[in-house]
Amino acid sequence: MAQSARSASLWAVLTLLFVLGWCQASAIPRVSFPLGSPGRSLTQFASPEVGNTTTLLLSSDEDTLFVGARDAIVSLDVSEPKAVALKNKLDWSPTEKDLNDCAMKGKKKADCPNFIRVLQVLNSTHMYACGTFAFSPRCTYISTETFSLVLGPTGKPEEGRGRCPYDPYQKNTAITVDGELYTGTVADYRGNRPVISRHLSEGSHVDLKLDDTLGWLEDPTFISSSYVPTEEKVYFFFSEVGREYDFIDKLTVSRVAQVCTSDVGGQRTLQRRWTTFAKAQLLCQSQGELPYNVLEDMFTLQPQEGAPDEDTLFYGIFSSQWSVNSGRSAVCVFSLDDIKAVFAGNYKVLNRDTLKWSTRVQEKVANPGSCGLHNASDNTLRFVKENFLTDESVQPSGQRLSMVSPDYRYSNLAVQRVRGAKGKNYTVLFLLTESGYLHKTVLLESGPHIIEEVQVFRQPQPVKSLLLSVSKAALFVGSSEGVTEVPVANCSFYWSCAECVLARDPFCGWDPSQRVCADIASIPTNAAQDVEKGNVHEKCKAASLNPRSGLAPLRPPTGELVPVSLNEVVRLQCPEASRLARRHWERPNSRLSPELYLQQDDGSLRFLATPITLGHYLCLSVENGFQQVLAVYQVKQKSSSSGGGGGGGGGGAGGGVPTSQPGSAGPTRSTQGRQPPSTVPRRTEGKAGRGRHPPPPPPPPPSSSTAALSPRETAGVTPRPERNFTFWLNPVLTAEAEPKPRGGDAGGGGGGGGEVAGGEQQLQSTAACYLQELVVVSVLLVLCVSVLVTFGLYGVRQRCRSRTAPQSCSRRDAERATGNGNNAAGNGAASTPQERESLKGSPRDAKRNGQVQNGQVQNGGKSLCNGVTNGSNGHLPNTPI
Ligand SMILES: *[C@@H]1O[C@H](CO)[C@@H](O)[C@H](O)[C@H]1NC(C)=O
Ligand SMILES: *[C@@H]1O[C@H](CO)[C@@H](O)[C@H](O)[C@H]1NC(C)=O
Ligand SMILES: *[C@@H]1O[C@H](CO)[C@@H](O)[C@H](O)[C@H]1NC(C)=O
Ligand SMILES: *[C@@H]1O[C@H](CO)[C@@H](O)[C@H](O)[C@H]1NC(C)=O
C-alpha cells in the first residue's frame, strides 16, 4: 500500500512538473549573459560628463556615432571594433535664467536640463537637433565639418515648438526627407496639443501641420516614423485613444498615419494643412484574445536588395492596456502592401453632431490619402478633411502574431534579415526588455526561438534607444547609463559542433575544417547549422568522425572524486549548458531509484551515502534529442578512521576504482587537492568550454555534510574550505599524483589509499543495516511532503492559470495558426467573433463584450492549455518531448 501511495504521489509530482513545464514552455532565452560575462564582452561608453545618452544617430559611413545627451551632443568614434571613443563634445545647455524659469514653473530640477530628442542629418554639411531646453524646446543647426552650433538661413535661433516635446519623458518622433523635417510630438507645455507637422520647407513647399478642428489625433503617443521613397509618403506610428470605440474606459488603439511629401496644403480649405493625412488602426491580436493594443516600438525592415518597396515590413512591439496582460508583450509585423491596401479602401464617417463614427457607405468625392490634391476643389478637400480614418484595420502579416512573450516586457526592437547556411534567410529580432536585457530571437515557422539574452544595463531605464548597424554587426544601446555596443553574435562561445548547432543561431555555423563555431559569412559552404531544428545528429555527423571535434566536448568530462563518510547527505552538482536542456543523472550500470535519490530542479543530485550508493555518477543533459555528459563523479568513502568531518583528507588513491566511465579511454587518476572555490576554473580547463558558460554561477563542488539525516537540513550547508577534493582522470597516471596544495592543514593525506579501502568495508557493513531503514523513512517523509506540496502547487497553478489563461496559451494559439491552421483546441475560438467585434463593431456591444470577455477567454485559454497537455500540439520548438 505504501508502495502504491508512493508511486501515486510520484506520478502526481511528475505530472505536475510536466504540466507546469508545458504551460510555461514559453520562449525563454537559451543562454543568458549577465553584465560582465566573458562570453559576451560589451564595449561601453560612459562618462560622468555625458549623461542621458538616449538619442542615437550613425553617420553615413557608420564610423561615427552621434549621441544626443543631456546638455550636449557628442560624437563617438566607432570605426574600430570593440572600441568606442569620445571624439567631440558640443555643449548646449540652457542659461541660468532658463533654469530658474523652469524651476519657477514647478518642474523638477533634474528634468530642466536640455535633453536632446531630435538628431537628424539634414544634408551633406549640416545636422539638425532639438532639445527640451528647460521645458522650452529649441532647435539648432550643427555644422558637420566643425561640429559646432550654427545659425540657420533665418539667422535667428530656431524655435522648437512642434518639433520637440517640452517634457523629457514624453515620446516623439522625427525624420528628415530632402532637407525637410517631419515630426510627431506635442506642441504645448501641458502636452495635450499633438501635431504631425513639416518644418524647414522652402519656397512653394510650405511648412504644414494638422488641421485640429476635427480631432485628427486623440491624445497620441508617438513611436516612430518611416519614409518610403517610391510612395513619396512618410508613415507615422503611434498609439492613441480610439474614439471610434465608445468605451467607458478609454480604449487605446495603435495606428499608422500617412502624409505625402509632395503635399503643399490646400488653397482655401486646408491652407497650410495636410491634405493627405489619413490614419488606420494596426491590429495585433490573435483569435479569442484581448488585443495587444499599445504600440511600444516599431522598426522598419527595408526590402531585400532588388525587391520592390512593397516588401517593406514594419515590426512592432505591442503591450496591452489590460492588467490581465500586464508584463506581456507581442510582436506583430505589418507589410507595406497591406497598409497601402487599407489606405486605398473605404473610410469611416464622422457624424459632426453626435461625434460618432459610422461606416455608412457614401458617394466618394475623392480618394482620401492619395497624393496630389494641391489644386483640388474645396469640396474635395472638405471631403478628405472629414474622411481620415480608414474603415478597415491593418491586420498583421500572415494574420497572426509573430511572437507573444508572457514573461518579458519589451520596449525596443531592431530587426535584421540574416543569411544563414545554404543561403536561407532568417529574421532575427533584437528585443530590449524593460529590465535591460537584449533578447536575440529568430522567428521560425515553428515559433520564435530566443537564442540568447545579453544584459546591457543595470537599472530599468525610462528613456532608451536601440540602433542596429548591419555593416558593423553590432547594436548600440543608449540609456541614462551610457552607450553600449553589443556585437550581434559571439560564435566562438560555442565550443563544440553540438553546442554550435544546438544554439540555432543563424549568425553562427560549425566550420568542420577549422573545428570552430564561427560567423557563418566566414565559412565557405559546408558549415553545420540547423536553425529550424537544431539537429545535432544530422549536422555533426561528419564532424563527429573526427576525434578532435564533433559531438562530444573536446575532452570527455573528467571524473571528480567525492570523498564521503557514510550517512552523510551527498549533493552532486551539475552545470547548466543551456536553459532548454533537461539534465538527469545516471550510474554506469544501474538506474537511480527514486527511493534513494533526489534529483533537484537545479540539476543537482542528493542522496545518503551508503555502501549501495558509493560509486560513479554521470550528469547528462538532453537538448533537442541530443545527449551529452556534463559531469562525472566518483563517490568514495573517506579514509579517515576518526571520521572527524573536515579532517579526513580525500587522498583516495584507492585500488578498486571502477573503470566503467563511459566515453573516456580509460580513467586515470590524479589527485589535486583544491579548495572548493577554485575547483571551478580547474574544471574549466579540463573541459574546454564548460567554463565558458557564464550564465549560471559555476557549480560549487559537490558538498557533503556529515551525518545530516534529513536532506533538508543540508540545504544551506556550504563545504568547509579546508576540504580537499580528488580529481581523477586516468588510472594509468595513478602514480604521478600531483602535489597537494597547502590549502588546509587538515587537507593533507594524499596517499595511503590501499589501507583505506579495508577500513571502509567495515564501516560500510555496520552502517548498512540501519541505514536502509533510515533511507526508507526519510524518503517516505519527503514523498509525503511532496504530495502536500503538489496539491498546494496545483491549487496555486489553477488560480494562476485562470488569471493568465488567455495569454499563457496565446503563443501556442499563434503558432497553431501558423503551423497548420487547425483549430484543434476548439472552443477557444468561440469567443472570437465577439472579441473582434469588440474592436470593430458597435460601441455598445463592444463594451459589453469587453466585460464578458474575460470569462470567455479564460475558458478558451484553459481548453487550449489542456489541448497542449494532451500533446495535441507539438509546435513548441524548444521543448524536448
Ligand atoms: C566570445 O566567447 C569567448 C569564449 O567564451 C570569449 O573568450 C570571448 O571573449 C568572447 N568574445 C566576445 C567578443 O564576447
Ligand atoms: C544644408 O543646409 C543648410 C541649412 O539649410 C544650408 O545652409 C546648406 O547650404 C545646405 N548644404 C547643402 C550642401 O545643401
Ligand atoms: C495648380 O493648377 C495651376 C493651373 O492649373 C498650375 O499652374 C499650378 O502649377 C498647379 N499647382 C500645383 C501645386 O500643382
Ligand atoms: C537622466 O539620467 C538619470 C540617471 O542618470 C535618470 O534618473 C533620469 O531619469 C534620466 N532622464 C531622462 C529624461 O532620461
Side-chain angles (χ1 to χ4, degrees):
M1 212 201 86
Q3 187 75 32
S4 67
R6 217 180 301 156
S7 56
S9 58
L10 247 183
W11 185 85
V13 171
L14 287 178
T15 311
L16 178 83
L17 289 176
F18 183 69
V19 170
L20 284 175
W22 266 114
C23 279
Q24 291 172 355
S26 52
I28 54 163
R30 182 176 178 273
V31 283
S32 173
F33 298 94
L35 219 55
S37 301
R40 228 42 179 92
S41 58
L42 313 180
T43 314
Q44 224 196 351
F45 169 80
S47 153
E49 289 124 66
V50 186
N52 299 86
T53 52
T54 45
T55 316
L56 305 178
L57 173 71
L58 211 49
S59 66
S60 51
D61 60 5
E62 306 212 339
D63 280 346
T64 306
L65 182 68
F66 297 104
V67 180
R70 183 180 61 234
D71 288 335
I73 298 159
V74 295
S75 62
L76 303 176
D77 184 350
V78 293
S79 55
E80 298 294 319
K82 293 192 194 172
V84 178
L86 181 65
K87 249 190 187 165
N88 269 309
K89 180 167 176 245
L90 179 53
D91 290 306
W92 185 27
S93 38
T95 62
E96 206 54 44
K97 182 178 172 298
D98 295 325
L99 292 175
N100 284 340
D101 287 353
C102 179
M104 291 277 283
K105 291 180 202 160
K107 295 298 171 187
K108 265 193 291 180
K109 210 166 167 218
D111 295 339
C112 282
N114 185 22
F115 294 95
I116 312 299
R117 301 306 299 277
V118 174
L119 188 57
Q120 291 282 317
V121 172
L122 209 56
N123 59 28
S124 57
T125 56
H126 287 75
M127 294 196 298
Y128 197 77
C130 303
T132 57
F133 216 85
F135 279 81
S136 168
R138 264 212 216 145
C139 296
T140 183
Y141 288 89
I142 298 166
S143 156
T144 318
E145 203 182 324
T146 61
F147 202 60
S148 57
L149 303 181
V150 291
L151 290 176
T154 57
K156 283 186 289 187
E158 297 277 312
E159 163 79 30
R161 206 162 141 258
R163 307 176 189 192
C164 176
Y166 288 63
D167 182 329
Y169 295 100
Q170 207 129 37
K171 293 189 177 179
N172 67 307
T173 180
I175 187 169
T176 43
V177 178
D178 295 334
E180 291 175 304
L181 181 74
Y182 293 78
T183 58
T185 186
V186 286
D188 68 336
Y189 180 78
R190 291 234 173 92
N192 45 23
R193 266 201 53 219
V195 286
I196 287 177
S197 45
R198 185 174 73 199
H199 310 269
L200 314 183
S201 307
E202 284 171 353
S204 62
H205 231 224
V206 290
D207 284 359
L208 293 176
K209 58 185 180 185
L210 279 188
D211 182 273
D212 47 13
T213 54
L214 279 176
W216 281 0
L217 295 174
E218 296 283 354
D219 197 10
T221 303
F222 292 102
I223 301 297
S224 90
S225 44
S226 186
Y227 172 57
V228 181
T230 51
E231 296 293 307
E232 296 189 332
K233 282 179 181 175
V234 174
Y235 292 94
F236 289 88
F237 299 93
F238 55 95
S239 55
E240 65 170 354
V241 175
R243 284 270 175 251
E244 68 269 36
Y245 304 112
D246 203 2
F247 275 60
I248 290 178
D249 273 348
K250 285 183 179 174
L251 175 71
T252 303
V253 295
S254 292
R255 304 266 196 217
V256 53
Q258 63 134 63
V259 295
C260 296
T261 51
S262 60
D263 201 338
V264 292
Q267 278 164 349
R268 281 175 301 273
T269 307
L270 291 179
Q271 225 178 36
R272 293 187 171 256
R273 302 287 187 272
W274 298 110
T275 62
T276 55
F277 175 86
K279 67 181 183 184
Q281 185 180 350
L282 294 172
L283 263 189
C284 186
Q285 178 180 26
S286 69
Q287 298 214 325
E289 286 183 16
L290 290 170
Y292 288 89
N293 56 332
V294 184
L295 185 64
E296 300 286 343
D297 197 16
M298 185 65 95
F299 183 90
T300 305
L301 184 64
Q302 301 298 341
Q304 273 175 282
E305 232 165 85
D309 272 356
E310 274 72 22
D311 290 359
T312 305
L313 294 174
F314 302 98
Y315 283 84
I317 298 176
F318 293 80
S319 62
S320 166
Q321 174 178 16
W322 294 281
S323 59
V324 68
N325 272 350
S326 69
R328 296 161 175 272
S329 21
V331 175
C332 279
V333 52
F334 304 91
S335 75
L336 179 59
D337 235 6
D338 291 344
I339 292 175
K340 276 174 65 183
V342 167
F343 279 128
N346 289 326
Y347 283 71
K348 290 191 199 297
V349 183
L350 180 64
N351 182 324
R352 292 243 205 155
D353 301 324
T354 60
L355 288 178
K356 292 222 186 271
W357 289 91
S358 66
T359 54
R360 172 163 48 94
V361 179
Q362 55 174 359
E363 195 195 337
K364 229 177 180 177
V365 180
N367 289 319
S370 58
C371 302
L373 292 175
H374 335 280
N375 274 347
S377 67
D378 287 345
N379 196 24
T380 306
L381 289 177
R382 261 199 306 276
F383 181 83
V384 298
K385 180 176 168 181
E386 284 170 18
N387 293 263
F388 56 87
L389 177 60
T390 63
D391 193 20
E392 292 285 318
S393 300
V394 185
Q395 300 283 342
S397 194
Q399 310 287 313
R400 64 183 178 112
L401 315 189
S402 299
M403 175 173 180
V404 173
S405 172
D407 305 318
Y408 302 101
R409 230 191 124 106
Y410 295 123
S411 59
N412 299 67
L413 91 165
V415 185
Q416 184 178 353
R417 222 179 255 114
V418 182
R419 210 173 162 79
K422 305 212 171 70
K424 190 167 187 314
N425 276 324
Y426 296 96
T427 304
V428 174
L429 312 182
F430 298 94
L431 297 153
L432 189 60
T433 69
E434 286 288 356
S435 54
Y437 281 85
L438 201 55
H439 283 188
K440 183 166 86 183
T441 306
V442 58
L443 295 182
L444 301 169
E445 278 298 308
S446 52
H449 165 61
I450 307 183
I451 300 157
E452 58 177 0
E453 66 172 12
V454 182
Q455 191 180 11
V456 289
F457 49 78
R458 286 191 178 81
Q459 300 293 322
Q461 303 285 323
V463 182
K464 49 203 169 292
S465 59
L466 185 63
L467 181 68
L468 170 70
S469 164
V470 172
S471 71
K472 301 200 101 57
L475 290 134
F476 296 96
V477 184
S479 72
S480 309
E481 290 179 7
V483 180
T484 305
E485 181 177 351
V486 187
V488 293
N490 179 16
C491 301
S492 58
F493 173 75
Y494 304 109
W495 68 90
S496 66
C497 182
E499 281 298 314
C500 192
V501 169
L502 285 173
R504 299 164 65 200
D505 187 334
F507 288 101
C508 302
W510 181 256
D511 182 344
S513 53
Q514 301 292 319
R515 294 186 215 100
V516 287
C517 189
D519 182 355
I520 196 82
S522 70
I523 308 172
T525 49
N526 52 349
Q529 183 190 67
D530 186 2
V531 179
E532 274 90 3
K533 300 204 185 69
N535 187 335
V536 175
H537 293 292
E538 202 174 281
K539 298 293 164 185
C540 295
K541 223 186 286 168
S544 65
L545 294 175
N546 189 320
R548 271 212 53 216
S549 61
L551 293 173
L554 292 180
R555 274 190 258 166
T558 45
E560 192 163 334
L561 190 68
V562 184
V564 297
S565 31
L566 294 176
N567 302 348
E568 249 185 287
V569 172
V570 181
R571 182 166 173 205
L572 301 179
Q573 301 279 0
C574 187
E576 187 180 52
S578 147
R579 290 189 184 169
L580 305 181
R582 295 253 166 110
R583 285 169 290 181
H584 69 272
W585 289 85
E586 279 179 10
R587 296 190 65 180
N589 293 312
S590 58
R591 286 186 49 223
L592 298 191
S593 142
E595 293 169 26
L596 297 178
Y597 296 96
L598 198 59
Q599 301 193 23
Q600 291 179 309
D601 285 345
D602 64 357
S604 65
L605 180 73
R606 266 187 193 192
F607 54 90
L608 208 55
T610 67
I612 312 170
T613 58
L614 295 177
H616 282 83
Y617 290 87
L618 305 174
C619 175
L620 297 139
S621 103
V622 182
E623 181 173 0
N624 252 351
F626 173 73
Q627 177 168 300
Q628 57 184 331
V629 178
L630 293 181
V632 180
Y633 294 103
Q634 187 198 5
V635 178
K636 219 172 161 292
Q637 192 173 3
K638 233 181 277 177
S639 53
S640 149
S641 47
S642 68
V657 178
T659 53
S660 50
Q661 184 192 2
S664 70
T668 305
R669 187 183 313 148
S670 78
T671 46
Q672 257 191 349
R674 284 260 192 145
Q675 303 203 343
S678 59
T679 56
V680 173
R682 174 196 49 186
R683 197 186 295 151
T684 305
E685 292 146 21
K687 241 201 70 182
R690 170 134 46 92
R692 289 183 190 175
H693 263 287
S703 71
S704 55
S705 56
T706 27
L709 296 185
S710 144
R712 208 178 276 176
E713 280 176 40
T714 64
V717 177
T718 45
R720 261 153 301 191
E722 69 267 24
R723 206 159 180 168
N724 278 339
F725 290 98
T726 307
F727 206 56
W728 62 257
L729 298 163
N730 234 316
V732 186
L733 298 177
T734 312
E736 38 171 296
E738 284 173 28
K740 299 230 136 212
R742 319 123 285 254
D745 40 345
E755 304 125 79
V756 176
E760 278 175 11
Q761 290 299 319
Q762 282 186 350
L763 268 172
Q764 282 167 14
S765 49
T766 47
C769 42
Y770 66 81
L771 253 175
Q772 226 152 13
E773 319 278 347
L774 190 70
V775 168
V776 169
V777 168
S778 40
V779 165
L780 271 175
L781 184 76
V782 168
L783 282 173
C784 288
V785 171
S786 59
V787 168
L788 282 177
V789 170
T790 305
F791 283 112
L793 273 178
Y794 188 67
V796 170
R797 161 125 194 98
Q798 282 297 91
R799 235 177 300 144
C800 136
R801 186 158 57 173
S802 56
R803 223 183 314 131
T804 60
Q807 295 74 32
S808 66
C809 296
S810 58
R811 195 170 68 91
R812 249 156 258 143
D813 199 9
E815 278 163 7
R816 203 183 35 178
T818 9
N820 39 17
N822 83 25
N823 247 337
N827 41 2
S831 60
T832 305
Q834 296 99 308
E835 192 71 47
R836 263 292 142 73
E837 238 24 68
S838 76
L839 278 190
K840 257 187 164 176
S842 84
R844 208 151 285 278
D845 282 343
K847 176 185 141 214
R848 183 156 37 83
N849 284 334
Q851 287 164 348
V852 177
Q853 243 14 270
N854 279 341
Q856 291 174 333
V857 170
Q858 273 165 26
N859 285 337
K862 206 178 251 175
S863 60
L864 279 182
C865 252
N866 289 340
V868 167
T869 321
N870 293 340
S872 68
N873 186 335
H875 296 308
L876 299 177
N878 305 321
T879 318
I881 296 158

